Amino acid sequence: MPRHTAVAHRGARHRRQSIVRGLYLPRSADAAAGSVATYGIPMLVLATTDSLSLTGAAFALEWIPRLAAFAAVGSVVDRHGAATVFRLAALARMLVALAAAVALPALGGGPGTTVTVMALAAALGMLTQCSYIAAETQGADATRAAGDRGHRVQSVLLSIDQVALLAGPALGSLLLQQAGASGMLTVLAAFSLLGALLTPHRTPSPKLVPVRMRAGLRVGWSTLRSLPALAWLVAGLALSNFTIGVLQAAAPVIVVARLGHSNASLGLVWSVAAGVTLVAVAACRRAIDRFGLWPVGALCATTAACVCLAVATAHTYGTYLVLTAVLMAGEGGLTVVLRTVRSHLIPAPVYASILAVTVLLLLAPYPLAGALVALTPPDALGHAITACACLQAAGLAVAFARLRTRSLVLLGPTTVN
């Protein structure tokens, strides 16, 4: 083997090892901790308070701080570096979880326990959001460094998130049943500590555009408006997320009330969907290598829109399960496209601030979707889903049409060396 070829192979191997050690492993530990927190804490609240209303409130308390913290967290990451914020958030989550693991057995029930678990839900929600924004920023740095192979980085990161989504609820339930609240919180703390320890120490690069915390949302919004391609993609996916949120909120009514199946059957739907999404993300990685981002994204958008229209008319559990899995697979492919485009288009100095705005816009439709389902009579739910599916199809069609007309080099075929 020629000397320069051997050196190139060693360099490529070193880069792969570096990204696995410095990005994928910390992200895996953090995703596991975040998933256990997101799905395990409401179960913990139910186990300790025996209150369905408090369980729902705990889930809301996990998400309200996340949505409220986007602008501030993005600004902090831009100012102090993603690795620093990620490490500090993971360590703080570890300390909060350990403190609760010690306090809950000592309290022994009553109002003190209720206050503790509700405060735990809010604190873990906030800290999980901090580590998520920091981790996404690190993933964007790696995507830019990978050049035309950036979508491969994003497909791996999305696969990590999907595995955590698949395993988190089951792991949280198992730990709570077998080891109790303290055992579950201790494992959550261990994942958080592992993520902090695995994160390499990096010196933050100097920021060309220093962002004040109070101005983070304004800077992110104005910069997003200056990137029409990204803005159109975010708008289309926000409409798509509204439809997905309606389907998720309506799932218990469809599966339990209309189709006559149990809550366990509903859980199976989302587990199968997560597994199929993993396969779809891997397939999208190879397809993007061959055909480029735009064709694959357009195919995923078309699949999601068509399947969503069909879900509204599903009359059997098997049909509903298959259609939901295909729908979520299409959404997984769209997420790979979004993350790759976002990583290449957003300027690095203000990446976290703009990321915070884009994620906020993508998550904001979910509470609106829940309100729509709550206000819609069960008999009219199918019509509401059909209307949302038409809105989703129109939004995605306009978004990808605008991306196509702008003829971005990024959205063309990907060169594979």
Side-chain angles (χ1 to χ4, degrees):
M1 179 183 298
R3 178 179 176 81
H4 70 277
T5 303
V7 172
H9 285 177
R10 286 197 297 270
R13 185 169 60 251
H14 175 74
R15 287 192 295 271
R16 286 194 296 269
Q17 293 172 347
S18 177
I19 197 171
V20 170
R21 169 66 176 80
L23 180 63
Y24 296 154
L25 291 180
R27 177 66 169 260
S28 298
D30 182 72
S35 184
V36 171
T38 299
Y39 296 98
I41 296 304
M43 290 187 286
L44 173 61
V45 173
L46 180 61
T48 54
T49 66
D50 200 27
S51 170
L52 292 175
S53 60
L54 286 178
T55 302
F59 190 84
L61 277 175
E62 283 190 282
W63 279 101
I64 291 173
R66 295 186 183 193
L67 294 175
F70 274 111
V73 174
S75 299
V76 170
V77 171
D78 281 336
R79 289 175 65 88
H80 300 289
T84 299
V85 174
F86 181 90
R87 188 180 302 106
L88 291 177
L91 290 174
R93 183 173 55 200
M94 177 200 70
L95 293 175
V96 168
L98 288 179
V102 173
L104 286 176
L107 291 171
T113 297
T114 301
V115 171
T116 299
V117 294
M118 298 302 282
L120 178 66
L124 291 180
M126 171 73 77
L127 294 171
T128 296
Q129 189 56 58
C130 292
S131 66
Y132 172 77
I133 293 293
E136 280 290 284
T137 304
Q138 291 175 307
D141 292 340
T143 301
R144 283 189 292 271
D148 58 6
R149 296 172 180 264
H151 63 280
R152 297 186 177 187
V153 176
Q154 289 299 332
S155 68
V156 174
L157 294 177
L158 183 57
S159 296
I160 290 172
D161 292 343
Q162 286 297 319
V163 170
L165 179 64
L166 182 64
L171 179 60
S173 176
L174 179 64
L175 289 171
L176 190 60
Q177 182 178 0
Q178 300 297 326
S182 295
M184 187 191 75
L185 291 172
T186 300
V187 172
L188 192 158
F191 279 129
S192 298
L193 177 61
L194 184 61
L197 293 177
L198 289 173
T199 302
H201 290 267
R202 297 188 181 97
T203 302
S205 57
K207 300 301 180 183
L208 300 177
V209 184
V211 181
R212 295 180 180 179
M213 185 179 300
R214 64 176 180 272
L217 188 60
R218 185 174 66 252
V219 170
W221 177 249
S222 61
T223 309
L224 179 62
R225 291 177 60 188
S226 70
L227 301 170
L230 181 62
W232 277 107
L233 183 57
V234 170
L237 290 179
L239 291 175
S240 181
N241 280 356
F242 177 72
T243 303
I244 298 299
V246 170
L247 285 173
Q248 289 179 344
V253 178
I254 295 174
V255 174
V256 179
R258 181 193 298 177
L259 300 179
H261 284 257
S262 66
N263 286 323
S265 298
L266 177 59
L268 178 63
V269 170
W270 299 119
S271 295
V272 171
V276 172
T277 302
L278 276 174
V279 177
V281 168
C284 282
R285 171 180 173 176
R286 294 183 177 276
I288 292 171
D289 281 340
R290 182 172 182 180
F291 301 107
L293 275 172
W294 193 91
V296 175
L299 176 61
C300 291
T302 303
T303 301
C306 292
V307 172
C308 193
L309 284 168
V311 168
T313 61
H315 296 296
T316 65
Y317 174 75
T319 302
Y320 179 81
L321 185 151
V322 171
L323 290 175
T324 301
V326 175
L327 171 63
M328 298 311 294
E331 287 291 315
L334 284 174
T335 303
V336 174
V337 173
L338 169 66
R339 290 185 175 186
T340 305
V341 172
R342 186 172 63 191
S343 298
H344 283 288
L345 292 183
I346 298 178
V350 291
Y351 182 85
S353 295
I354 305 174
L355 171 65
V357 173
T358 61
V359 176
L360 180 60
L361 291 173
L362 291 174
L363 292 182
Y366 283 101
L368 298 177
L372 175 63
V373 172
L375 295 174
T376 302
D379 293 341
L381 201 54
H383 299 295
I385 294 174
T386 300
C388 291
C390 293
L391 182 64
Q392 175 196 36
L396 290 175
V398 172
F400 277 89
R402 295 303 294 265
L403 286 174
R404 180 72 169 183
T405 57
R406 292 188 179 276
S407 300
L408 291 173
V409 175
L410 173 63
L411 298 176
T414 302
T415 301
V416 181
N417 296 324

